[in-house]
Amino acid sequence: MYVIINFSAAYSESMHAATTFLLMSCLEKGFSFKVGLLLAISGFSRSNALLNVGFILYKAVKKIHMELVFYWQARKAQPPQHEPSSTLANIIGDAVFPAIFCVMAAVGPFILYQWYGFTLFCGLTKANLRHFDLHVIDYAHNNSLKLPSHEPSEWCSYYIPIPYDYIQKHYWNVGLFRYFHWRQIPNFVLAAPMIAFVLHYSWLFFKHHRPHCFRLGLAGSSDASSSNFHTYGAKMLPKEAFVYVVHAAFLAIFAFFFIHVQVATRMIASSTPVIYWWMAVLTIPNDRKPQHKQPEAAKSPRLEVLSQLETHENLQSNWKNLVIDERPKMSKDAVWLLNYFVGYACFGTVMFVNFLPWT
């Protein structure tokens, strides 16, 4: 049974990671039915998908801000070239309604599953223990676990009867500062590198793009430090990554204070691409980075980004961007980071499959 649970947890985690990364890619192009579908699939996989609602709300706020900026600019023209009704229609049609649809797609699976639990454990459906294997019944009895029965569960009488919240607190001891015990120090040590990595580079991102961050990424900046070419040269992410950096920092803080902290590395690595972007920027040897902008890069935004990260020769090679080729030319910090991630993956795989304390 434990093997099946571990396999299902790993499968749902990988499904959540895949749909989350696809969602972020689709959101860059705007709201669409595909975005809502990915949110629903992610929601059916794991409850962590609720955290993706923040991207939807931020996208809606950016669209509303953009429409208001266009309206004020058009209003200043002589004569005024934009009607308030057109701005309102664009806001409702391009931001409000699509955001509501996507939020419902993200929250819907969670609500449906809570309702299913409510019907099972609160006496709305007839309980039949003959549907359960004897080993399952014995395990529940020995570990004081509640099975569906004619007697409603304790949380059924709550003002908002949500089984998820009750299970998190009653069985898993999840909540603010609930994991802060001396015996959990090894787990905090295990999660410390990932949490420190995310918070440290989030702070450096804020310092490098301070004006842009103070505006919540809703307006451009003419400050020279925000130039993407200089940003990559300083081994920073571009200012367009603002919302993703905020998301990663939130996950790190949330993991430290609220959940079983040892899952922080797995949760963050499967929920945000920022980790991989940072590692890509930090581990590029100095001699592999372009020293000036390339003219052909203006053909597309993708080529512009790639041309600032890697030289043309490196991009055209099938082996010059391999770890074994770049490692001797990496900085000491990059080598240490690479050693940590590779070591964590190898050592963690051996520990996890042998049912040793690792996650």
Side-chain angles (χ1 to χ4, degrees):
M1 180 186 297
Y2 188 69
V3 175
I4 295 176
I5 292 174
N6 271 346
F7 175 79
S8 62
Y11 176 79
S12 64
E13 192 78 42
S14 60
M15 177 67 74
H16 169 63
T19 52
T20 297
F21 292 174
L22 284 172
L23 167 67
M24 293 176 181
S25 176
C26 292
L27 268 176
E28 290 299 320
K29 304 175 184 178
F31 289 114
S32 65
F33 175 78
K34 186 185 295 184
V35 172
L37 179 62
L38 289 171
L39 281 167
I41 294 174
S42 183
F44 277 115
S45 300
R46 292 188 72 87
S47 59
N48 295 1
L50 293 175
L51 297 176
N52 293 331
V53 171
F55 291 107
I56 303 301
L57 299 179
Y58 182 75
K59 187 73 175 181
V61 170
K62 286 193 70 173
K63 280 188 171 292
I64 293 173
H65 174 264
M66 183 176 63
E67 288 293 337
L68 292 177
V69 169
F70 286 160
Y71 171 74
W72 287 111
Q73 290 175 348
R75 189 178 180 184
K76 291 179 181 179
Q78 295 298 331
Q81 302 175 354
H82 208 61
E83 293 293 333
S85 58
S86 299
T87 300
L88 182 61
N90 290 338
I91 289 176
I92 295 176
D94 296 338
V96 177
F97 281 170
I100 292 175
F101 168 75
C102 290
V103 169
M104 291 176 61
V107 178
F110 178 81
I111 295 176
L112 288 175
Y113 196 75
Q114 302 313 302
W115 172 251
Y116 175 71
F118 182 83
T119 60
L120 280 181
F121 290 89
C122 296
L124 297 188
T125 57
K126 294 183 179 180
N128 189 353
L129 293 181
R130 289 182 296 178
H131 293 163
F132 295 93
D133 189 86
L134 182 61
H135 297 291
V136 175
I137 298 175
D138 291 340
Y139 181 85
H141 177 74
N142 295 333
N143 291 274
S144 301
L145 301 177
K146 183 77 168 60
L147 289 174
S149 64
H150 298 291
E151 182 182 351
S153 299
E154 176 185 344
W155 53 268
C156 294
S157 59
Y158 290 178
Y159 183 72
I160 302 179
I162 299 179
Y164 182 84
D165 182 62
Y166 176 80
I167 292 171
Q168 291 276 319
K169 293 179 179 178
H170 185 76
Y171 292 110
W172 293 358
N173 196 33
V174 171
L176 181 61
F177 300 126
R178 287 190 170 215
Y179 216 57
F180 280 53
H181 300 285
W182 291 110
R183 67 178 181 274
Q184 301 299 346
I185 288 180
N187 287 324
F188 278 91
V189 173
L190 181 65
M194 176 61 79
I195 293 177
F197 176 81
V198 171
L199 295 182
H200 173 68
Y201 283 101
S202 296
W203 172 246
L204 293 181
F205 178 91
F206 170 78
K207 289 175 62 178
H208 190 80
H209 300 294
R210 191 186 301 267
H212 188 74
C213 293
F214 276 132
R215 286 190 284 266
L216 302 180
L218 298 179
S221 174
S222 59
D223 187 71
S225 65
S226 63
S227 168
N228 282 349
F229 187 75
H230 296 290
T231 295
Y232 292 129
K235 294 191 174 182
M236 295 288 174
L237 293 179
K239 60 182 181 294
E240 289 80 7
F242 167 76
V243 66
Y244 305 106
V245 174
V246 171
H247 177 246
F250 170 80
L251 289 177
I253 295 172
F254 182 78
F256 184 80
F257 288 105
F258 285 89
I259 68 175
H260 294 179
V261 73
Q262 67 267 27
V263 308
T265 302
R266 171 171 57 84
M267 183 184 74
I268 295 174
S270 66
S271 301
T272 172
V274 171
I275 304 299
Y276 311 102
W277 294 345
W278 270 321
M279 283 298 298
V281 172
L282 292 170
T283 56
I284 297 176
N286 291 328
D287 66 335
R288 294 287 172 84
K289 291 190 299 183
Q291 303 302 319
H292 57 83
K293 295 181 180 180
Q294 301 175 14
E296 65 272 14
K299 296 179 181 179
S300 73
R302 180 176 179 272
L303 285 177
E304 182 180 3
V305 172
L306 290 175
S307 68
Q308 297 173 47
L309 283 171
E310 298 268 13
T311 61
H312 181 75
E313 179 187 6
N314 202 27
L315 288 173
Q316 296 300 317
S317 173
N318 292 325
W319 59 271
K320 284 191 176 182
N321 55 359
L322 294 177
V323 173
I324 55 176
D325 177 68
E326 291 188 342
R327 185 183 178 89
K329 300 179 180 181
M330 291 180 183
S331 65
K332 290 184 178 180
D333 291 341
V335 171
W336 276 106
L337 285 172
L338 188 64
N339 290 341
Y340 167 74
F341 280 99
V342 174
Y344 190 97
C346 296
F347 186 71
T349 301
V350 174
M351 294 280 287
F352 186 79
V353 298
N354 287 282
F355 308 109
L356 297 173
W358 196 271
T359 182

